């Protein structure tokens, strides 16, 4: 992908319009849905060999988040398997402005691919477009960038399934009745905001009429802030029945607060967490159920997608397929999205089977 003259860009754009008029792109199509200027004019070849010595850079939301560390380390290990050099760079706070300076450096370094968990879908768009115009493949993972600013998005699971299931799980835990709050990550996080929209939509169903969402709080994926936000929620709403934290940092902090407070046994904490961080709260009875996918597989899949883009196996168009090592053949869906798989629900019966 990515190396072509302007005339080819125009041709690809024309083909993309034509394909859209014909009802969408198909396998081996010549341009992605969005008509992205950085994608190749060449036909995608799912059997093209992965190029060697590629330079891949993971730019997580923040580097000191245990979840992002698992994702990126697995991606870096996967890249070694196809003889690429991969690294992780990124800010210690989950902010888009902090990510921009890293993006500028990665562009100057002429990485072959940038993999980003975007702290804001739009704020990182300028430098990502610049990267694509300089023939750098852009893969978003975990938290998407606006779709015109990346080639593909590697999503951990269906966003709709994650959002709706969070409500179902909480409703079961509180018997379908009572006040709940959401403790999110940062206010602009694409992934959390998408899930929260689906949660709100799910709550409109008649079976949840007894549940009232009283507040969405933001802990910024900062442990201390998330802990304090939990305390604040329980002070403001002493009759709160449940907290959904769709963030591994938030759920661990909320569970820690509740586990040693008078609310233990009265307030359910659920959401998305890593089994290793949540194990003690499941064992001490604070947490009964939560969800996640395998973060290592997310990084692994993102690394293969980046290599597939740079090697010409895919351009980012819907219907294209690529081989993702142990995860098998993967197909690009609508809007350039590739889904890892369904989330797992953890409780005391299975948590000891998971070690991440
Ligand atoms: C946190 C981050 C990340 C999210 C997980 C579930 O670690 O916010 O983006 O996917 O939680």
């Amino acid at each position: 992908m990515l190396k072509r003259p302007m005339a080819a860009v125009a041709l690809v754009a024309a083909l993309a319009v034509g394909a859209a008029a014909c009802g969408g792109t198909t396998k081996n199509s010549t341009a992605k849905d969005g008509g992205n200027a950085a994608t190749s004019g060449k036909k995608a070849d799912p059997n093209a060999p992965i190029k060697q010595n590629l330079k891949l850079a993971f730019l997580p939301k923040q580097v000191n988040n245990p979840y992002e560390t698992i994702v990126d380390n697995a991606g870096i290990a996967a890249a070694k398997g196809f003889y690429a050099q991969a690294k992780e760079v990124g800010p210690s706070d989950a902010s888009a402005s902090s990510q921009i300076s890293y993006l500028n450096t990665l562009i100057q370094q002429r990485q072959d691919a940038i993999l980003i968990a975007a702290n804001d879908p739009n704020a990182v768009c300028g430098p990502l477009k610049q990267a694509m115009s300089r023939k750098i493949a852009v893969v978003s993972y975990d938290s998407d960038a606006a779709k015109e600013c990346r080639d593909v998005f590697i999503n951990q699971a269906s966003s709709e399934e994650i959002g709706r299931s969070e409500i179902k799980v909480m409703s079961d835990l509180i018997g379908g009745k009572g006040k709940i709050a959401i403790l999110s990550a940062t206010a602009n996080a694409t992934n959390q905001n998408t899930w929260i929209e689906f949660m709100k939509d799910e709550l409109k169903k008649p079976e949840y009429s007894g549940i009232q969402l009283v507040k969405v709080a933001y802990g910024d994926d900062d442990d201390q802030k998330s802990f304090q936000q939990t305390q604040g929620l329980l002070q403001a709403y002493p009759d709160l029945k449940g907290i959904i934290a769709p963030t591994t940092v938030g759920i661990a902090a909320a569970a820690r607060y509740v586990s040693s407070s008078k609310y233990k046994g009265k307030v359910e904490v659920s959401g998305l967490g890593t089994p290793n961080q949540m194990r003690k709260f499941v064992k001490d009875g604070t947490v009964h159920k939560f969800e996640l996918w395998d973060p290592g597989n997310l990084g692994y899949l993102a690394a293969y997608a980046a290599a597939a883009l740079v090697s010409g196996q895919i351009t980012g168009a819907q219907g294209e397929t690529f081989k993702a090592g142990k995860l098998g053949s993967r197909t690009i869906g609508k809007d350039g999205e590739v889904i890892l798989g369904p989330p797992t629900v953890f409780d005391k019966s299975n948590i000891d089977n998971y070690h991440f």
Side-chain angles (χ1 to χ4, degrees), residues 157-173 195-196 198-203 205 208 244 246 270-272 289-293 341-345:
S158 143
S159 301
E160 176 165 4
E161 191 180 339
I162 296 171
R164 295 195 189 282
S165 67
E166 292 303 295
I167 294 296
K168 279 190 205 108
V169 167
M170 180 52 78
S171 177
D172 288 348
L173 290 170
W195 299 331
I196 291 169
F198 282 114
M199 288 187 214
K200 288 181 174 167
D201 193 64
E202 182 70 11
L203 281 172
K205 292 185 178 168
Y208 304 117
I244 301 175
S270 188
L272 304 173
K289 256 183 197 169
F290 65 98
E291 296 178 85
L292 201 71
W293 41 89
T344 301
V345 179

Side-chain angles (χ1 to χ4, degrees), residues 61-62 65-68 117-118 141-143 156 184-186 189 191-192 195 221 245-250 272-274 277 291-293 298:
K61 280 181 166 181
Q62 61 186 134
N65 172 338
Y67 170 87
E68 306 271 325
Y141 67 98
D142 180 38
S143 185
Q156 35 269 25
S184 190
T186 57
N191 53 344
Q192 268 86 18
W195 299 331
D221 272 351
T247 136
T248 59
V249 179
L272 304 173
T274 68
Q277 283 184 287
E291 296 178 85
L292 201 71
W293 41 89
L298 180 65

Side-chain angles (χ1 to χ4, degrees), residues 55-350:
K55 290 198 289 178
L56 313 184
F58 284 82
L59 177 50
K61 280 181 166 181
Q62 61 186 134
V63 287
N64 54 352
N65 172 338
Y67 170 87
E68 306 271 325
T69 305
I70 305 173
V71 176
D72 294 353
N73 283 347
I76 291 166
K80 279 204 186 107
F82 50 79
Y83 309 105
Q85 299 167 33
K87 64 178 179 182
E88 181 202 56
V89 294
S92 53
D93 64 320
S95 86
S97 54
S98 308
Q99 285 184 314
I100 289 173
S101 58
Y102 286 93
L103 283 172
N104 291 334
T105 305
L106 294 173
I107 294 167
Q108 276 164 16
Q109 291 171 347
R110 303 180 66 87
Q111 299 288 325
D112 290 299
I114 294 174
L115 300 95
I116 182 170
N119 281 318
D120 182 306
N122 301 310
V124 290
C125 226
L128 289 180
K129 279 188 171 163
Q130 209 190 348
M132 292 196 293
S133 74
R134 296 194 184 179
K135 330 291 188 223
I136 297 172
V138 175
V139 174
S140 59
Y141 67 98
D142 180 38
S143 185
D144 202 5
K147 62 175 185 283
E148 67 275 16
C149 317
R150 47 72 171 163
D151 293 304
V152 292
F153 170 43
I154 309 302
N155 200 352
Q156 35 269 25
S158 143
S159 301
E160 176 165 4
E161 191 180 339
I162 296 171
R164 295 195 189 282
S165 67
E166 292 303 295
I167 294 296
K168 279 190 205 108
V169 167
M170 180 52 78
S171 177
D172 288 348
L173 290 170
I174 63 173
K177 221 169 156 280
K179 291 181 183 162
I180 63 166
I182 294 172
L183 173 65
S184 190
T186 57
N188 294 333
T190 326
N191 53 344
Q192 268 86 18
N193 286 345
T194 309
W195 299 331
I196 291 169
E197 281 314 305
F198 282 114
M199 288 187 214
K200 288 181 174 167
D201 193 64
E202 182 70 11
L203 281 172
K204 289 181 189 152
K205 292 185 178 168
E207 60 259 48
Y208 304 117
S209 60
I211 299 179
Q212 198 192 345
L213 174 64
V214 292
K215 172 122 180 148
V216 180
Y218 297 93
D220 293 345
D221 272 351
D222 174 281
D223 175 71
Q224 273 312 308
K225 185 166 180 201
S226 303
F227 188 85
Q228 284 155 9
Q229 288 292 316
T230 306
Q231 187 175 30
L233 282 171
L234 291 164
Q235 270 162 11
Y237 306 97
D239 55 346
L240 204 63
K241 288 282 178 284
I243 297 174
I244 301 175
T247 136
T248 59
V249 179
I251 192 176
R256 193 169 83 248
Y257 179 79
V258 171
S259 71
S260 57
S261 75
K262 63 180 181 198
Y263 300 101
K264 185 174 171 196
K266 297 198 174 79
V267 176
E268 291 287 344
V269 176
S270 188
L272 304 173
T274 68
N276 283 356
Q277 283 184 287
M278 300 307 290
R279 196 173 333 272
K280 57 178 174 295
F281 305 118
V282 170
K283 303 241 163 164
D284 78 4
T286 306
V287 172
H288 298 102
K289 256 183 197 169
F290 65 98
E291 296 178 85
L292 201 71
W293 41 89
D294 184 330
N297 283 346
L298 180 65
Y300 185 98
L301 184 56
Y304 271 90
L309 278 164
V310 182
S311 306
Q313 291 177 359
I314 55 174
T315 66
Q318 182 172 359
E320 292 172 352
T321 59
F322 63 100
K323 291 180 201 74
K326 66 177 182 182
L327 298 177
S329 176
R330 295 292 169 139
T331 303
I332 302 176
K334 193 170 167 286
D335 294 332
E337 189 174 314
V338 180
I339 293 181
L340 177 64
T344 301
V345 179
F346 305 101
D347 59 20
K348 68 173 188 304
S349 73
N350 68 356

